[in-house]
Amino acid sequence: MVADRLSAGVSFAQVSREGLTVNDVTGSDLDHRSAFSGKGQLLWTPTDTWEARVIVTGERARDGDYALNDLAAARQQPFHASRDFEGRTDRDIFATTVQARRTGSRIVVSTTTGVVRWTTEDATDLDYSSRPLVTRDNRERDLQLTQEVRFASAEQRPVALSDRALLKWQAGIFLFTQDYDQDAVNAFAPFLLSPSVGLAVRQISPRAQLEDRGLGVFGQGTLTVNRRLDVTAGARFDYEKKRAALETFSEPPIVLPASVAADKGFSNVSPQVSVTYRLRPDQMLYGTVGRGFKAGGFNPASPAGSEAYDEEQAWHVEAGVKTTWANGRLTANAAAFFIDWNNLQLNVPDPLVPAQFYIANVGGAASRGVELELSARPAPGVDLFTSIGYTHARFAAGSRSAGVDVGGNELPNTPDYTASAGLQYSGRLSPGVTFYGRAEVVLYGSFHYDDTNAQSQESYSLANFHAGVRGKYLLAEAWVRNAFDTRYIPVAFQYESFAPSGFVGEMGAPRALGLSAGVRF
């Protein structure tokens, strides 16, 4: 603290690990990870009503290759692959956020300005085999600027409509720009594309420039009646203008080049209404209904005719109950939800370019389910917690993906249930020094990898354990993740070009033991 009005904080982190997957061609690991990140923060409170904050974050990551392998081979021999080419992924991120806030007697005004710049370069073996067939070099660059100005009623000074009705409100405007560039090159071996093409071919797919400019205007009011009933109504207007300059071609020019220069605008009004009723101070019923919106846009690369995709809308309905018992030592919550998508946007594989995806509108879909949560503190320092969720998510009749009817299929990467349970114990060793231990198990139901439901992951569970000590400036922790070494593949996608099973996937992390230490100041 400087002069009681200025304070600063800084933190750094270095995360490194050896690879989990062995390249049987070279004997070295493929997927090692290394990243250094930092965060600095400055807070200035010149008066009791003014506050300004500057947050600067950055990350420099230098990772190994993707650990993808044929799905059947990965299940038969986990954490092994055969590559003649070992790639890498380099990622750099720098972000700055500036916040200012003035608290008046009746109105609070706040602004948030953000700048994010990131670049990535990754190279990989696209045939995922020991043969020198295809490699990919992909470079991406992005710059995002955001600005929000928000006005709200003072927290302790709502508008009194009567002696039984109070109104809180907020409104604001949100502006953003985004500039994205991509330059990706697939290098094919001689004779691979055709027996008549005896030269190595470089396929530039894509060389793309995408621009996005957007505006959002929002407002919301909450009416409180008799301190028991809250009725909230609001709406948001969004407008986005997108431009694209897309090129695909080959060197030498064995196919005709293609280019697209286009722009398109999207706008939408998204309403939302919610109702909350407090049966008692510690028991509450609630319900909400609203419509969401996701703008359309342009794919950096896609099959001809699929360069643009349309906006997506979704209605969301949720109702539930939140309760607290035994003087706060026990909480129990339950909720039911329903989501109805129209013109659903989905990432689908490009059949003409290996390991390349594009966004397409596949039709409608619906998801419904329930969620239950329970937590308890039976004794000081002892916390028990559990949750369970069930989801039924299906494509609507008539939905089509890449010309294939997927109506009635399960939405990809959506487990039919999830559940977790755990225990944490914490205590004090001395003034300013605490210790803790935590054990938890997480269960995932089965799910399909793709919209055709051709391949799936069976249900599995993961157990994790943590124990540590925290002081004012130092902290240390020992941990075990996936303690029982469960074998599972959380990510896989269609890859008929080279994978014998038609899919490639990446194994989930095996059992890992580690130590973490840090300094806070």
Side-chain angles (χ1 to χ4, degrees):
M1 184 71 69
V2 180
D4 295 330
R5 293 293 183 182
L6 187 65
S7 59
V10 63
S11 63
F12 300 98
Q14 173 69 48
V15 179
S16 301
R17 69 161 173 81
E18 296 179 349
L20 307 174
T21 303
V22 176
N23 183 359
D24 292 332
V25 175
T26 64
S28 59
D29 65 341
L30 277 174
D31 50 347
H32 54 271
R33 299 288 183 262
S34 178
F36 176 81
S37 61
K39 179 178 180 180
Q41 189 168 176
L42 185 68
L43 175 64
W44 182 40
T45 54
T47 70
D48 293 338
T49 59
W50 275 97
E51 174 184 296
R53 188 187 304 266
V54 179
I55 304 171
V56 179
T57 60
E59 181 187 45
R60 183 180 189 273
R62 297 295 181 265
D63 297 339
D65 205 350
Y66 305 107
L68 292 166
N69 196 11
D70 175 70
L71 186 60
R75 286 171 170 163
Q76 185 176 6
Q77 192 177 18
F79 305 109
H80 283 265
S82 295
R83 306 275 181 86
D84 65 290
F85 175 81
E86 294 180 356
R88 73 187 194 285
T89 297
D90 298 342
R91 181 178 65 255
D92 295 285
I93 304 173
F94 184 79
T96 302
T97 302
V98 180
Q99 300 172 332
R101 177 184 174 95
R102 183 186 185 278
T103 303
S105 60
R106 294 185 177 275
I107 298 178
V108 177
V109 182
S110 60
T111 69
T112 302
T113 305
V115 181
V116 179
R117 182 190 296 274
W118 59 263
T119 60
T120 65
E121 180 178 357
D122 61 85
T124 189
D125 188 337
L126 269 193
D127 56 274
Y128 304 117
S129 74
S130 59
R131 298 171 294 172
L133 301 178
V134 194
T135 61
R136 180 177 176 86
D137 192 305
N138 179 56
R139 302 184 182 191
E140 298 175 73
R141 181 175 55 189
D142 189 83
L143 175 63
Q144 302 171 19
L145 305 175
T146 60
Q147 176 64 62
E148 181 183 271
V149 180
R150 183 178 299 228
F151 304 87
S153 56
E155 183 67 25
Q156 304 302 324
R157 294 290 301 273
V159 179
L161 301 180
S162 72
D163 57 351
R164 298 191 304 169
L166 301 175
L167 177 66
K168 294 182 180 180
W169 60 271
Q170 62 175 329
I173 185 171
F174 178 78
L175 304 167
F176 76 90
T177 69
Q178 182 174 9
D179 294 302
Y180 169 84
D181 298 330
Q182 183 180 7
D183 194 353
V185 179
N186 299 328
F188 292 87
F191 301 107
L192 181 62
L193 292 177
S194 171
S196 61
V197 181
L199 300 173
V201 176
R202 284 165 41 91
Q203 179 191 54
I204 291 78
S205 178
R207 180 170 293 168
Q209 295 179 326
L210 300 178
E211 296 180 1
D212 192 359
R213 307 290 184 261
L215 162 71
V217 180
F218 57 90
Q220 177 178 292
T222 299
L223 177 65
T224 300
V225 181
N226 291 332
R227 299 185 179 180
R228 284 180 173 267
L229 177 65
D230 289 340
V231 179
T232 300
R236 179 185 177 103
F237 169 78
D238 288 286
Y239 175 78
E240 290 192 38
K241 181 71 171 182
K242 298 193 176 186
R243 291 186 174 89
L246 314 174
E247 295 181 88
T248 57
F249 56 94
S250 65
E251 298 173 347
I254 62 172
V255 295
L256 292 176
S259 62
V260 173
D263 61 81
K264 194 172 183 179
F266 304 90
S267 61
N268 186 75
V269 176
S270 302
Q272 181 169 316
V273 177
S274 63
V275 177
T276 300
Y277 185 74
R278 285 173 284 278
L279 301 170
R280 294 169 33 183
D282 53 7
Q283 296 180 12
M284 179 182 73
L285 301 173
Y286 72 92
T288 180
V289 58
R291 190 175 76 162
F293 162 76
K294 187 185 295 184
F298 297 94
N299 291 298
S302 63
S306 300
E307 293 86 0
Y309 55 93
D310 290 328
E311 60 193 44
E312 169 189 309
Q313 292 95 19
W315 282 99
H316 179 275
V317 180
E318 182 176 340
V321 57
K322 297 184 179 182
T323 64
T324 303
W325 308 83
N327 296 321
R329 296 196 304 272
L330 176 67
T331 63
N333 304 324
F337 65 88
F338 173 73
I339 307 173
D340 182 35
W341 286 280
N342 180 41
N343 234 14
L344 178 68
Q345 297 173 3
L346 194 68
N347 262 326
V348 295
D350 187 335
L352 303 178
V353 183
Q356 190 160 276
F357 291 78
Y358 67 100
I359 298 175
N361 300 103
V362 299
S367 176
R368 55 180 60 87
V370 294
E371 298 174 347
L372 305 173
E373 297 179 349
L374 184 68
S375 62
R377 173 162 283 193
V382 178
D383 293 291
L384 305 173
F385 50 91
T386 185
S387 66
I388 185 169
Y390 167 77
T391 301
H392 182 276
R394 299 290 187 273
F395 288 103
S399 297
R400 301 187 69 81
S401 175
V404 177
D405 186 356
V406 296
N409 288 359
E410 295 182 9
L411 294 188
N413 304 308
T414 306
D416 50 8
Y417 73 87
T418 57
S420 65
L423 164 69
Q424 178 167 303
Y425 179 73
S426 58
R428 187 177 300 276
L429 294 175
S430 64
V433 179
T434 60
F435 69 94
Y436 64 93
R438 181 184 178 96
E440 64 178 341
V441 60
V442 184
L443 295 86
Y444 299 90
S446 61
F447 60 89
H448 288 93
Y449 296 121
D450 70 314
D451 48 7
T452 67
N453 290 182
Q455 291 281 359
S456 62
Q457 166 65 49
E458 297 180 350
S459 59
Y460 63 95
S461 62
L462 302 175
N464 305 305
F465 301 93
H466 300 260
V469 178
R470 296 180 184 272
K472 183 177 181 181
Y473 299 109
L474 302 177
L475 58 92
E477 181 182 76
W479 46 264
V480 182
R481 298 170 185 156
N482 190 7
F484 302 111
D485 204 22
T486 299
R487 300 298 170 90
Y488 63 103
I489 300 179
V491 177
F493 54 88
Q494 289 177 314
Y495 205 68
E496 297 181 357
S497 301
F498 297 103
S501 68
F503 278 72
V504 293
E506 184 172 359
M507 295 295 302
R511 177 173 51 227
L513 296 82
L515 297 172
S516 301
V519 179
R520 298 183 296 181
F521 55 90

